Amino acid sequence: MDIITKTGEIWSENAIGAVISLIKESDDSIEAERKLTHWLTEMNCQLIAMALARIDAELYQIYKVQGWRVARRDSRTICCRYGELTYTRRLLQKEGKSFYPLDCKMGFESRKHYSLGMIERIVEAVAITTSRSASELLESLAGITISHQSVISLKNYAGEKAKTYEKTLAEEEKVEKPTQPEIIAIEGDGIVLKNKEKGGVSEVHRIQVYEGVRKNGNRTELVGLRCFASTSRKELFAMVRSYLLGHYDLSKTTVLSNGDGGAGYQFQDFERMVEGCLDHQHLRDCYHVHEKIRTRLSFCNRKLIDRIIRELHQTDDIMKQIPVWMDTARSCARTEADLEEVDRLQSYLERNAPYIPSLSQRGIHTEIHLGTAETNHRFYSYRMKRQGRSWSSEGMECMFWVLTARKNKTLTAALLYHANGKSYKKMDRAMHKAAVQAERKIAQNVRSEAQKRKMRNYRPGCLEGRIGVYGASSSPMGRLARAIQKY
């Protein structure tokens, strides 16, 4: 019998009558839906509270053998996805120590009014809109009354958990058999945000690692994408290096790195991350190169600029072509300032000439198109830069870790992660044993109640009778039995 059939058996005529009464008492369909939703939520919470009481009793039986004793029973109210749950549980004590076994096994943290599942829902809402808008949406759509200050507090709480989990996952988790992809790509860039405390701006550094590209309908998506973000460049690079060493065997892998050439995104910075790889090809981000050319040569004809950019990715020897392009640009200069811009551009191109050629110019044929770090900035910038938003240092870092966890699809695991390095992947033995015993007792109670009900309502009905004839059928008793049977 599946769970749906079991659930259907709990609805009695009284429950159906209560639903009918709520519908009759409502003035319109909207009011009826509101009343029914509230009633069903209350019913669900009461049902779950009774189930938790059974499990708590079985947990006590398990810990009782270990010497734990009940100090008292306390009531608690916590907001879960299925409603506001009020339940009672035992406080166990032993040798000066005390804890609530039911809270530990259910993952209800102390001094938290919201369960982890509800925190996940709230954080997902604040990750796509402002805290005030998230508060209003949660109240109107999910019936959760929460202030925007509480939303911010839970966001920071989730951000701290995401930071701990992501750092541990990158630095401590080691794969038993590291993979050896032919090519992996590493891209890095920074986002500048307003900082309330410093009265200026702060830079958040981002690095993403992926193994390839696959087609998803009309769009493409990155294979094996892993994102990292931090306000500390040194911490970020150490995290990425640990992740690469723990998950990949780079001895037979070609690494493609891409950066804009800013501080922390030079060839040497990526080289330290992928030390020991088969080959490392570093590229200067083409968007920034093209933008640099267009800015420095803004006084030139647009056709000349487009021609330089086009030939930049077609010529075999950039160093030979740079003087030719710059001499042509100097002929278009009108002022000394224009000549200075040309000299600065020439210095920039000569300095980055080894990193400008594209993958095809280097003889590397792959479906990977470097430069997606700029595109993936939008996932962060749309939430953190619109409407002139400014952030405190703590709020900025926590929001970035939340967004990174959502990008890596590890937010749920991060919320479940605990300081002892374990996560609630499955119920532990004590919880599973308590749940089995509670279910078994319920089944026994159901059987005993059915037996009592059967005995109480027992009716023997009409019994079939027979007269024993221990002689000839022609005897008086035989003739009486035959007459009764014919009747």
Side-chain angles (χ1 to χ4, degrees):
M1 185 182 295
D2 58 14
I3 185 115
I4 297 177
T5 307
K6 288 182 178 179
T7 304
E9 292 179 355
I10 68 172
W11 297 110
S12 62
E13 291 297 324
N14 293 333
I16 297 173
V19 173
I20 295 174
S21 299
L22 289 173
I23 295 174
K24 287 170 61 179
E25 294 171 359
S26 302
D27 297 331
D28 49 52
S29 59
I30 295 179
E31 184 182 354
E33 287 190 30
R34 288 174 181 168
K35 289 184 177 181
L36 287 173
T37 301
H38 178 73
W39 182 81
L40 288 172
T41 302
E42 291 293 328
M43 286 285 292
N44 289 337
C45 291
Q46 291 180 17
L47 177 66
I48 294 170
M50 290 187 288
L52 293 182
R54 301 280 182 93
I55 294 176
D56 185 52
E58 296 301 327
L59 283 172
Y60 171 60
Q61 297 301 323
I62 296 173
Y63 286 99
K64 183 179 180 180
V65 180
Q66 303 175 12
W68 293 87
R69 293 294 179 265
V70 178
R72 63 177 185 271
R73 288 178 172 84
D74 296 330
S75 178
R76 183 183 183 183
T77 300
I78 187 168
C79 190
C80 305
R81 287 201 172 200
Y82 41 79
E84 196 170 55
L85 174 66
T86 300
Y87 66 101
T88 303
R89 76 277 197 229
R90 292 170 172 83
L91 176 66
L92 302 186
Q93 285 186 343
K94 175 185 174 182
E95 299 177 355
K97 299 180 181 180
S98 61
F99 79 113
Y100 295 99
L102 183 63
D103 287 0
C104 294
K105 304 305 179 182
M106 290 297 296
F108 296 155
E109 297 192 6
S110 60
R111 296 183 294 278
K112 285 285 185 296
H113 184 62
Y114 300 92
S115 67
L116 291 179
M118 182 57 70
I119 293 175
E120 180 188 30
R121 172 174 287 183
I122 294 171
V123 172
E124 286 175 348
V126 77
I128 59 177
T129 185
T130 63
S131 57
R132 291 183 184 274
S133 299
S135 175
E136 294 174 1
L137 286 173
L138 289 168
E139 184 173 1
S140 60
L141 298 179
I144 305 168
T145 303
I146 181 173
S147 64
H148 72 277
Q149 293 94 340
S150 297
V151 171
I152 294 174
S153 176
L154 293 176
K155 180 261 297 180
N156 293 340
Y157 166 81
E160 290 294 333
K161 285 223 167 188
K163 179 180 179 180
T164 303
Y165 180 78
E166 292 287 342
K167 289 182 65 175
T168 304
L169 198 65
E171 297 174 359
E172 298 181 4
E173 186 184 50
K174 306 295 181 183
V175 180
E176 294 183 0
K177 295 182 178 180
T179 57
Q180 288 184 331
E182 294 183 3
I183 296 177
I184 64 171
I186 305 176
E187 299 187 39
D189 202 359
I191 301 179
V192 177
L193 301 172
K194 291 183 180 179
N195 193 309
K196 293 179 180 178
E197 298 172 355
K198 298 181 180 180
V201 295
S202 295
E203 185 177 8
V204 178
H205 304 278
R206 286 191 58 247
I207 289 180
Q208 61 183 30
V209 180
Y210 57 98
E211 303 171 11
V213 179
R214 62 166 167 255
K215 200 74 174 177
N216 184 10
N218 295 328
R219 301 172 65 89
T220 56
E221 60 182 14
L222 304 180
V223 179
L225 175 64
R226 189 76 181 181
C227 296
F228 304 88
S230 178
T231 53
S232 172
R233 188 190 304 117
K234 183 178 180 180
E235 179 185 49
L236 177 66
F237 287 2
M239 194 187 310
V240 176
R241 175 178 170 79
S242 299
Y243 173 79
L244 293 173
L245 294 178
H247 290 75
Y248 295 105
D249 181 5
L250 302 178
S251 59
K252 299 181 180 179
T253 301
T254 298
V255 178
L256 308 177
S257 60
N258 184 73
D260 60 3
Y265 303 104
Q266 302 285 348
F267 168 77
Q268 298 81 1
D269 301 306
F270 290 99
E271 180 71 13
R272 285 191 287 269
M273 295 185 205
V274 297
E275 187 177 0
C277 67
L278 177 65
D279 185 25
H280 178 205
Q281 295 288 336
H282 183 68
L283 291 88
R284 186 65 67 237
D285 189 69
C286 61
Y287 168 80
H288 292 88
V289 175
H290 298 170
E291 191 67 19
K292 186 74 71 173
I293 295 173
R294 296 184 188 279
T295 303
R296 298 297 186 199
L297 302 183
S298 58
F299 57 89
C300 294
N301 191 319
R302 184 171 181 178
K303 291 183 179 179
L304 174 61
I305 298 174
D306 293 341
R307 180 183 173 183
I308 294 174
I309 292 175
R310 183 170 59 252
E311 293 181 357
L312 192 68
H313 301 291
Q314 294 176 353
T315 183
D316 295 331
D317 192 348
I318 294 178
M319 291 300 293
K320 289 183 179 180
Q321 294 296 325
I322 289 176
V324 178
W325 297 331
M326 296 303 101
D327 289 342
T328 306
R330 286 189 182 92
S331 66
C332 301
R334 301 182 184 88
T335 63
E336 290 295 329
D338 294 343
L339 291 174
E340 290 181 6
E341 292 292 335
V342 175
D343 293 339
R344 294 174 67 182
L345 177 61
Q346 183 174 358
S347 176
Y348 173 82
L349 293 176
E350 290 176 350
R351 187 170 61 253
N352 293 282
Y355 314 126
I356 292 177
S358 62
L359 293 176
S360 58
Q361 288 176 284
R362 305 183 191 198
I364 300 175
H365 302 286
T366 176
E367 295 180 352
I368 294 176
H369 299 283
L370 297 174
T372 58
E374 294 286 341
T375 304
N376 288 334
H377 272 343
R378 288 180 290 184
F379 182 77
Y380 297 85
S381 59
Y382 280 10
R383 173 63 183 89
M384 303 188 70
K385 295 187 73 170
R386 285 186 172 183
Q387 301 170 347
R389 296 169 187 165
S390 59
W391 299 81
S392 63
S393 298
E394 180 186 6
M396 181 189 302
E397 186 173 11
C398 290
M399 177 55 75
F400 247 93
W401 279 112
V402 166
L403 293 175
T404 301
R406 291 192 74 228
K407 192 74 174 177
N408 294 333
K409 298 180 180 179
T410 58
L411 180 59
T412 300
L415 288 173
L416 292 174
Y417 186 79
H418 286 257
N420 57 5
K422 298 180 180 179
S423 58
Y424 289 104
K425 293 182 180 179
K426 291 184 178 180
M427 288 185 181
D428 60 13
R429 293 184 178 180
M431 184 67 173
H432 181 72
K433 184 177 179 181
V436 170
Q437 293 295 338
E439 185 180 19
R440 187 175 300 166
K441 281 196 173 183
I442 291 172
Q444 292 175 354
N445 292 337
V446 170
R447 285 196 297 269
S448 62
E449 288 295 331
Q451 292 171 356
K452 291 178 183 178
R453 189 164 55 253
K454 184 176 180 181
M455 292 299 296
R456 191 165 54 249
N457 300 329
Y458 177 73
R459 298 291 185 274
C462 181
L463 300 178
E464 180 181 358
R466 182 181 296 274
I467 297 178
V469 179
Y470 305 103
S473 59
S474 59
S475 65
M477 189 59 69
R479 289 197 297 270
L480 177 61
R482 189 166 57 254
I484 292 175
Q485 289 174 358
K486 288 181 179 180
Y487 178 78

